């Protein structure tokens, strides 16, 4: 998981930094006061160049470059930080389009945040325009055990007990491979069909069972940018594709902030003093 942190020119003078959550066109500042950011403190807004960055004040003894590098190796700390960051981005997404910042983007001060907004005004504005009236939806496809699997040969055919066992075992392995091939082809077909309705689609690597929380293997982990007006059609299509491909159990999730369709996340201005 990547991170970005600026180096303060004078570490002794810098007590707090600024954790960037995301960029929006405008925001309800009263509502922001109810959204908890890093360390449980309410997030706030930094405006520049017709854009608004939503940030948390971040103590540099925890969120500075060196502490961040250590903390990002601490899975418990990382999970807490990711959950807090994502909760802020979700709150912003409920109000309108948002360009999420990558996890652990920390600036030294509000001035650097404003400079970044000004430097990237054109691309950030274009991204926000592209996301307006659209949402990211996920479609996961899980293998259905036993579906579309050829019947396994019995032990008949002579050759003794050992030969019969090997024959059955070979048939089982062949059936499993064919099942996986059928599921892979079905996942490809589902993705292509969904992309015809969505504005854009992207396939991510299938999640490990420990992450998905589902015992069945995942064959499709797709993300789709869908116009709000086209959502009923998209949802109906997911249902019909599930019927058409019984070897896959399709699951529609969302809407999510459009993480999958933001090619470049907001980062600190300037090349010096970044670590990833």
């Amino acid at each position: 998981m990547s991170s970005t942190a600026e180096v303060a020119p004078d570490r002794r003078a810098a007590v707090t930094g600024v954790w960037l959550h995301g960029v929006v066109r405008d925001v309800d500042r009263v509502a922001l006061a109810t959204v908890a950011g890093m360390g449980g403190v309410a997030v706030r807004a930094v405006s520049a160049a017709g854009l608004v960055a939503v940030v948390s004040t971040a103590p540099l003894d925890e969120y500075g470059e060196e502490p961040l590098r250590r903390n990002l190796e601490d899975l418990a700390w990382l999970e807490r930080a990711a959950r807090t960051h994502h909760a802020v981005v979700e709150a912003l997404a409920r109000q309108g389009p948002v360009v999420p910042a990558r996890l652990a983007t920390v600036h030294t001060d509000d001035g650097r945040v404003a400079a970044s907004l000004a430097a990237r005004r054109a691309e950030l504005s274009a991204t926000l325009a592209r996301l307006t009236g659209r949402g990211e939806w996920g479609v996961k496809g899980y293998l259905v055990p036993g579906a579309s699997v050829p019947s396994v040969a019995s032990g008949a055919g002579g050759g003794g007990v050992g030969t019969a066992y090997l024959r059955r075992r070979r048939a089982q392995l062949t059936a499993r491979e064919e099942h996986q091939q059928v599921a892979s082809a079905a996942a490809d077909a589902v993705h292509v069909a969904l992309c015809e309705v969505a504005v854009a689609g992207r396939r991510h690597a299938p999640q490990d069972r420990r992450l998905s929380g589902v015992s069945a293997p995942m064959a499709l982990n797709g993300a789709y940018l869908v116009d709000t007006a086209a959502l009923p059609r998209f949802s109906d299509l997911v249902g019909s594709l599930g019927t058409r491909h019984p070897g896959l159990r399709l699951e529609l999730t969302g809407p999510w902030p459009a993480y999958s369709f933001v090619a470049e996340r907001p980062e600190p201005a300037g090349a010096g003093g970044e670590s990833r």
Side-chain angles (χ1 to χ4, degrees):
M1 191 170 290
S2 59
S3 65
T4 306
E6 293 177 342
V7 177
D10 183 350
R11 293 180 185 272
R12 293 170 300 176
V15 178
T16 60
V18 183
W19 176 297
L20 177 62
H21 293 285
V23 175
V24 295
R25 287 199 193 93
D26 198 5
V27 70
D28 182 343
R29 294 172 190 256
V30 175
L32 281 188
T34 67
V35 180
M38 311 312 295
V41 179
V43 296
R44 55 191 178 81
V46 176
S47 301
L51 298 169
V52 178
V54 175
V55 304
S56 288
T57 298
L60 291 183
D61 59 357
E62 182 176 1
Y63 300 103
E65 182 181 17
E66 291 302 325
L68 260 183
R69 192 171 285 140
R70 292 192 302 270
N71 285 331
L72 290 172
E73 300 297 323
D74 181 340
L75 293 182
W77 185 96
L78 181 59
E79 182 178 4
R80 288 194 302 271
R83 286 183 182 277
T84 300
H85 177 71
H86 180 63
V88 174
V89 174
E90 280 195 316
L92 296 175
R94 286 193 289 270
Q95 296 184 28
V98 55
V99 179
R102 66 176 63 185
L103 184 70
T105 298
V106 181
H107 295 259
T108 52
D109 54 46
D110 287 4
R112 293 294 188 100
V113 177
S116 179
L117 292 179
R120 301 186 58 197
R121 179 180 181 278
E123 61 182 290
L124 290 171
S125 296
T127 300
L128 289 168
R130 182 170 183 258
L131 299 180
T132 298
R134 294 166 176 167
E136 176 173 328
W137 293 81
V139 177
K140 301 182 188 302
Y142 299 97
L143 273 66
V144 176
S148 303
V149 178
S151 59
V152 177
S154 67
V161 175
T163 301
Y165 169 79
L166 291 176
R167 187 181 297 117
R168 288 196 303 273
R169 183 60 179 157
R170 188 182 306 117
Q172 290 169 348
L173 293 174
T174 299
R176 184 180 304 165
E177 290 174 0
E178 291 182 357
H179 186 192
Q180 292 173 342
Q181 291 172 358
V182 169
S184 178
D188 292 343
V190 167
H191 179 68
V192 169
L194 293 176
C195 284
E196 292 178 356
V197 176
V199 175
R202 178 171 295 176
R203 286 184 74 167
H204 298 298
Q207 291 178 323
D208 183 270
R209 300 181 195 191
R210 290 169 294 182
L211 291 176
S212 70
V214 178
S215 60
M218 183 184 294
L220 175 65
N221 185 15
Y224 305 91
L225 188 64
V226 182
D227 281 327
T228 301
L231 181 57
R233 180 184 171 201
F234 184 83
S235 178
D236 289 346
L237 180 59
V238 172
S240 65
L241 288 170
T243 302
R244 198 180 310 167
H245 301 283
L248 284 182
R249 179 177 66 81
L250 299 182
E251 178 182 287
L252 177 64
T253 66
W256 306 104
Y259 288 104
S260 301
F261 302 98
V262 177
E264 292 294 335
R265 309 270 182 90
E267 297 182 34
E274 295 183 3
S275 67
R276 293 176 185 157

